[in-house]
Amino acid sequence: MAAGTTPNSTRRSERSRVAILTATRELITEVGYAKLTIEAIAARAGVGKQTIYRWWPSKGAVVFDSLLALSESPDGGIELPDTGDVEADLKAVLRATAAEFSDPAFAAPIRALNTEIINDPELAAVYREKMEQPIREAKLRRLRSARDAGQLAADADLDLLLDLLYAPLTQRWLLRSGPLDDGFADALVEAALRAFRP
Amino acid sequence: MAAGTTPNSTRRSERSRVAILTATRELITEVGYAKLTIEAIAARAGVGKQTIYRWWPSKGAVVFDSLLALSESPDGGIELPDTGDVEADLKAVLRATAAEFSDPAFAAPIRALNTEIINDPELAAVYREKMEQPIREAKLRRLRSARDAGQLAADADLDLLLDLLYAPLTQRWLLRSGPLDDGFADALVEAALRAFRP
Amino acid sequence: MAAGTTPNSTRRSERSRVAILTATRELITEVGYAKLTIEAIAARAGVGKQTIYRWWPSKGAVVFDSLLALSESPDGGIELPDTGDVEADLKAVLRATAAEFSDPAFAAPIRALNTEIINDPELAAVYREKMEQPIREAKLRRLRSARDAGQLAADADLDLLLDLLYAPLTQRWLLRSGPLDDGFADALVEAALRAFRP
Amino acid sequence: MAAGTTPNSTRRSERSRVAILTATRELITEVGYAKLTIEAIAARAGVGKQTIYRWWPSKGAVVFDSLLALSESPDGGIELPDTGDVEADLKAVLRATAAEFSDPAFAAPIRALNTEIINDPELAAVYREKMEQPIREAKLRRLRSARDAGQLAADADLDLLLDLLYAPLTQRWLLRSGPLDDGFADALVEAALRAFRP
DNA sequence: GCATAACCGAGACGGTACGTCAAGTCTTTGG
DNA sequence: CCAAAGACTTGACGTACCGTCTCGGTTATGC
């Protein structure tokens, strides 16, 4: 049933937990991560500050959990499309990712999350386990399916392939070093696949 | 002679400027970017706070300038090794970059810089122009030389190639998602070159 | 048998009541009245906070009861010495009182009690009835005996005499405006008696 | 010019100092000492909390200074009436003191001050020196004049006489143990003088 | 003789105030 | 006549307690 960084207890008020995470998400999009304060979260959530400090060790952890709650799919299973054509499928997925990054509603919180993760190794570990891992697994499954179908070299290092696909996209978005258009997504997929074709 | 983000003036005390940038660099490595304060910089530099506020618009700008001062080579020219063997040369360069990232003395300030840039588009623009551009140009020169030598496809998109080479490395370092060893650097170079071979 | 400010009930846990009053007394001498907290009392007594709030209306009331328990003599009767010589008897009593005030174990809680009473008229009333009255009555009995023996004027206002005897002593102790030695006690008794001699 | 407990400095803002002391006095009479908070003082005075903490070590010290400012007469000289009749003069003075105690506007702050002094020996010392001393000196001058006029015993202990006069009054007021009417004041004066008549 | 209700410990809750820290602005003063 | 020194207002920090409110778990009548 949920649960990211925060411990659990029967005594805990679910109403407060949800109010805090919701308030956090709203405030991030409204005022930005840099100006997000615990006091504002508490006020917006109608909660005492102590209730936040009781269950989360840092502002970053609250932000993290508030985004985690968003990303968790109810069924728990994430799957990439598999039409049989890796290149087409990956292009669709990367274009979608690029589009998401361009949507301020998504972008602001994720930018905040990245800032937090860069400076907090502990949080980074939780992030990888809870948020990155499930998605990465889904991506790897799709690539394995492609390899099995002979669309990729039999000895292809799929982890590396994934990095080649996604890192340039994320980097460009984070540092705003160029446009995130479909052309870039397509070129990325083509180049990455070229490196691992059979 | 100076010049990053900051304006200039004859009235300005060079002694103070240098003291501030030096103090900033020292403090970043000592206490980390998150705990860096203007007051501490002023105190360490033996300078009034106002003197900092007079010349820099934000903490990020000071940090930026303090690192810019470091990266500026006196002669102004940066050049990558060119032995004639792109693969070997790139591997050497990426291994060196990875090693730098592993050195806390370098890592802390650059991490700080990245945090700042992610959340400040204006600063990001200056960063790209003043710090990234010159290095990127040098890298592109090396790749162009390889293309001319027939080691890369004639129509290779060298900008994309650069992204494929460096983004996964930077990403892995920033998010600490894996080890930055020579094996990774080598695999990266091999895969990226494979995608653009003639 | 107990009973100060607090109501009673058969259901009430005697063990808890005693633990709370004991903890309160200990904490007053340890940390002082100003830093005494309900939470600390509850923790020390191994008791839920609610158990305190259920039976006492305020911190002052708990403190009061904890001291009341001390002052209550088992037999219920207090009597001043009566050797036939009022002056000698009063000097002995005032010296003893002064000595008590000099003992930190007594002084701290009584100081606390006075602080509480000064600012809480309701508590002051209970204090007068439960703690001051019995002692004052005993003192008056001794003075009446002296008046009957012709050692005081027949029309002496014994209440006023009592105030003249004790107020300067208490005042000096509370405000630390001078030493509480035997000389002071003696001088006080002599002057007060002089004002009411036959 | 002033100056009680607080240190001094040329840099200090006189405007803030006065605003804080005024706000403190107002708040004591409005909400009482127990509910007086530093935050409320700062807010009312239009001052940062830090400015209070910078110059005063405790809430008690602020309260103290705020009352000290009141009690300081501009000319610096306090004198009791001297009609030649000690008894009449003292009765007038004690009646006036009793009346002051009955006025809530005076009573509340002084009660607060007493609470503070009882529990803070350091503050008590300053209180004695700055506030009590000057008044006590004036009273002693009047008594000395009476002794010189042959209205008091030549060897009368005037300090003790003062205590006998004032302690019962103050005590009765602080503990609310009886009415502060003219009758009480008069009886007090008569009894005290009786003890020290020639 | 068993239910049931009050009391118990524990401790989470919404709050208020604490005392500290730093931000960014304004003022004084010494070199 | 700058610029260091540092006081100022502001606002958030993280902590301590407040007094209220469940939570289960004993008791110990009283039906």
Side-chain angles (χ1 to χ4, degrees):
Chain A
M1 180 88 342
T5 269
T6 67
N8 242 321
S9 152
T10 350
R11 313 295 245 118
R12 177 160 193 188
S13 158
E14 182 64 11
R15 163 198 294 273
S16 295
R17 212 195 102 254
V18 171
I20 289 165
L21 297 181
T22 304
T24 302
R25 245 174 293 126
E26 290 172 4
L27 285 167
I28 285 183
T29 48
E30 283 173 29
V31 306
Y33 177 75
K35 292 190 179 170
L36 178 69
T37 68
I38 297 277
E39 297 213 322
I41 295 173
R44 168 81 61 112
V47 139
K49 277 199 289 178
Q50 201 61 58
T51 301
I52 298 180
Y53 285 112
R54 195 167 5 242
W55 301 109
W56 288 275
S58 68
K59 193 175 73 171
V62 185
V63 170
F64 181 86
D65 260 25
S66 77
L67 300 182
L68 182 59
L70 266 190
S71 83
E72 276 181 336
S73 38
D75 52 23
I78 310 156
E79 218 54 56
L80 260 59
D82 190 345
T83 64
D85 179 349
V86 227
E87 188 173 327
D89 287 354
L90 286 179
K91 281 181 178 174
V93 170
L94 258 78
R95 285 175 174 215
T97 303
E100 245 180 46
F101 281 157
S102 303
D103 175 358
F106 273 76
I110 304 180
R111 223 171 258 280
L113 185 57
N114 272 279
T115 303
E116 205 60 35
I117 284 170
I118 287 175
N119 291 299
D120 184 342
E122 219 164 308
L123 212 58
V126 182
Y127 163 76
R128 279 196 306 278
E129 188 200 338
K130 298 276 176 184
M131 299 187 70
E132 201 196 2
Q133 192 94 310
I135 297 170
R136 191 172 185 92
E137 284 300 341
K139 292 170 183 168
L140 281 174
R141 276 195 296 278
R142 181 63 191 83
L143 293 183
R144 258 183 244 117
S145 149
R147 190 171 55 186
D148 294 348
Q151 298 177 329
L152 295 174
D155 65 344
D157 179 342
L158 302 186
D159 271 300
L160 185 60
L161 172 48
L162 262 188
D163 284 353
L164 286 174
L165 278 169
Y166 280 91
L169 187 68
T170 309
Q171 196 78 344
R172 178 175 281 213
W173 169 66
L174 273 182
L175 306 188
R176 287 174 251 248
S177 47
L180 290 186
D181 50 24
D182 291 352
F184 181 64
D186 291 355
L188 218 42
V189 172
E190 286 162 18
L193 290 182
R194 232 180 295 135
F196 291 96
R197 68 186 154 203
Chain B
M1 180 100 330
T5 267
T6 68
N8 241 323
S9 151
T10 355
R11 309 295 227 136
R12 178 161 193 188
S13 155
E14 181 65 11
R15 165 200 292 275
S16 295
R17 212 196 102 255
V18 171
I20 289 165
L21 297 181
T22 304
T24 302
R25 244 174 295 124
E26 289 172 6
L27 285 167
I28 285 182
T29 48
E30 283 174 31
V31 307
Y33 176 75
K35 293 188 179 171
L36 179 70
T37 66
I38 297 278
E39 297 212 321
I41 296 173
R44 168 81 62 113
V47 137
K49 278 200 289 177
Q50 201 53 249
T51 304
I52 298 181
Y53 285 113
R54 211 187 327 269
W55 302 110
W56 288 274
S58 68
K59 193 175 73 170
V62 185
V63 170
F64 181 86
D65 260 24
S66 78
L67 299 181
L68 182 59
L70 264 190
S71 82
E72 279 182 333
S73 37
D75 52 22
I78 311 156
E79 218 54 54
L80 260 58
D82 191 345
T83 64
D85 180 350
V86 230
E87 187 172 329
D89 289 353
L90 286 177
K91 280 181 179 174
V93 171
L94 258 78
R95 284 176 175 213
T97 303
E100 244 182 46
F101 282 157
S102 302
D103 175 358
F106 274 75
I110 304 181
R111 225 172 255 281
L113 184 59
N114 272 278
T115 303
E116 206 60 36
I117 284 169
I118 287 175
N119 291 297
D120 184 342
E122 218 164 309
L123 213 58
V126 182
Y127 163 75
R128 279 195 307 280
E129 187 200 340
K130 298 274 176 185
M131 300 186 70
E132 201 196 5
Q133 194 91 314
I135 298 169
R136 191 170 184 94
E137 284 302 341
K139 291 170 184 166
L140 281 174
R141 276 195 295 278
R142 180 62 191 85
L143 293 183
R144 255 182 246 118
S145 149
R147 190 172 54 186
D148 294 349
Q151 296 177 331
L152 294 174
D155 64 343
D157 179 343
L158 300 187
D159 271 301
L160 184 59
L161 173 48
L162 262 190
D163 284 353
L164 284 174
L165 277 170
Y166 281 92
L169 187 68
T170 309
Q171 194 77 347
R172 177 175 282 213
W173 169 66
L174 272 182
L175 306 188
R176 287 174 252 250
S177 48
L180 291 185
D181 51 25
D182 292 352
F184 182 64
D186 292 355
L188 219 41
V189 172
E190 287 162 17
L193 291 183
R194 234 181 293 135
F196 292 93
R197 68 189 153 200
Chain C
M1 187 81 340
T5 270
T6 67
N8 240 322
S9 151
T10 353
R11 305 295 231 139
R12 178 161 191 187
S13 157
E14 183 64 10
R15 163 199 293 274
S16 295
R17 211 195 103 257
V18 171
I20 289 165
L21 297 181
T22 304
T24 301
R25 245 174 293 127
E26 290 172 5
L27 285 168
I28 285 182
T29 47
E30 283 173 31
V31 306
Y33 176 74
K35 292 189 180 171
L36 179 69
T37 67
I38 297 278
E39 297 215 322
I41 296 173
R44 168 80 63 113
V47 138
K49 279 199 290 178
Q50 200 56 251
T51 302
I52 298 180
Y53 284 112
R54 193 166 8 242
W55 301 108
W56 288 275
S58 68
K59 192 175 75 170
V62 185
V63 170
F64 182 87
D65 259 25
S66 77
L67 299 181
L68 183 58
L70 266 189
S71 82
E72 278 182 333
S73 39
D75 52 24
I78 310 156
E79 218 53 55
L80 259 59
D82 191 344
T83 65
D85 179 350
V86 228
E87 188 172 327
D89 288 354
L90 286 178
K91 282 181 177 174
V93 171
L94 258 77
R95 284 175 174 214
T97 303
E100 244 181 48
F101 282 157
S102 302
D103 175 358
F106 274 76
I110 303 181
R111 226 171 255 280
L113 184 58
N114 272 278
T115 303
E116 205 60 37
I117 283 169
I118 287 175
N119 290 298
D120 183 342
E122 219 164 310
L123 212 58
V126 182
Y127 163 77
R128 280 196 306 279
E129 187 200 341
K130 298 275 176 184
M131 299 186 71
E132 201 196 5
Q133 193 91 314
I135 298 170
R136 192 172 184 93
E137 284 301 341
K139 292 169 183 168
L140 282 173
R141 276 195 297 277
R142 181 63 192 84
L143 293 183
R144 256 182 246 118
S145 148
R147 190 173 52 186
D148 295 348
Q151 297 177 329
L152 294 174
D155 65 343
D157 179 343
L158 302 185
D159 271 302
L160 185 59
L161 172 49
L162 262 189
D163 284 353
L164 286 174
L165 278 169
Y166 279 92
L169 188 68
T170 310
Q171 195 78 345
R172 179 175 281 215
W173 169 67
L174 273 182
L175 305 188
R176 287 174 251 249
S177 46
L180 291 186
D181 49 26
D182 291 352
F184 181 64
D186 291 355
L188 218 41
V189 171
E190 287 162 17
L193 289 183
R194 234 181 293 135
F196 292 95
R197 68 189 153 200
Chain D
M1 190 86 333
T5 268
T6 67
N8 242 322
S9 151
T10 352
R11 312 301 294 269
R12 177 160 192 187
S13 157
E14 182 64 10
R15 164 197 293 275
S16 295
R17 211 195 103 254
V18 171
I20 289 165
L21 297 181
T22 304
T24 302
R25 245 174 293 125
E26 290 173 5
L27 285 168
I28 284 182
T29 48
E30 283 174 31
V31 307
Y33 177 75
K35 291 189 180 171
L36 179 68
T37 67
I38 298 277
E39 298 216 320
I41 295 173
R44 167 80 62 114
V47 138
K49 276 199 289 178
Q50 201 62 60
T51 301
I52 298 181
Y53 286 112
R54 200 177 350 254
W55 302 109
W56 288 275
S58 68
K59 193 175 74 172
V62 185
V63 170
F64 180 87
D65 259 25
S66 77
L67 300 181
L68 182 58
L70 265 190
S71 83
E72 279 181 332
S73 38
D75 51 24
I78 310 157
E79 220 54 56
L80 260 58
D82 190 345
T83 65
D85 179 350
V86 228
E87 187 172 328
D89 288 354
L90 287 177
K91 280 182 177 172
V93 171
L94 257 78
R95 285 177 175 213
T97 303
E100 245 182 46
F101 282 158
S102 302
D103 175 357
F106 275 74
I110 304 180
R111 223 171 257 281
L113 184 58
N114 272 279
T115 303
E116 206 60 36
I117 283 169
I118 287 175
N119 292 297
D120 184 342
E122 218 164 309
L123 213 57
V126 182
Y127 163 77
R128 278 196 307 279
E129 188 200 340
K130 298 274 175 186
M131 300 187 69
E132 201 196 4
Q133 193 93 313
I135 298 171
R136 191 172 184 93
E137 285 300 342
K139 292 170 184 167
L140 281 174
R141 276 195 296 278
R142 180 64 192 82
L143 293 183
R144 256 182 245 118
S145 149
R147 191 172 53 186
D148 294 348
Q151 297 177 330
L152 295 175
D155 64 344
D157 180 342
L158 301 185
D159 271 300
L160 184 59
L161 172 49
L162 262 190
D163 284 353
L164 284 174
L165 278 169
Y166 281 92
L169 189 68
T170 310
Q171 195 79 345
R172 178 176 280 212
W173 169 65
L174 272 183
L175 306 188
R176 287 173 252 249
S177 46
L180 291 185
D181 49 26
D182 291 351
F184 182 64
D186 291 355
L188 218 41
V189 172
E190 287 162 18
L193 289 183
R194 233 181 294 136
F196 291 94
R197 69 189 150 199

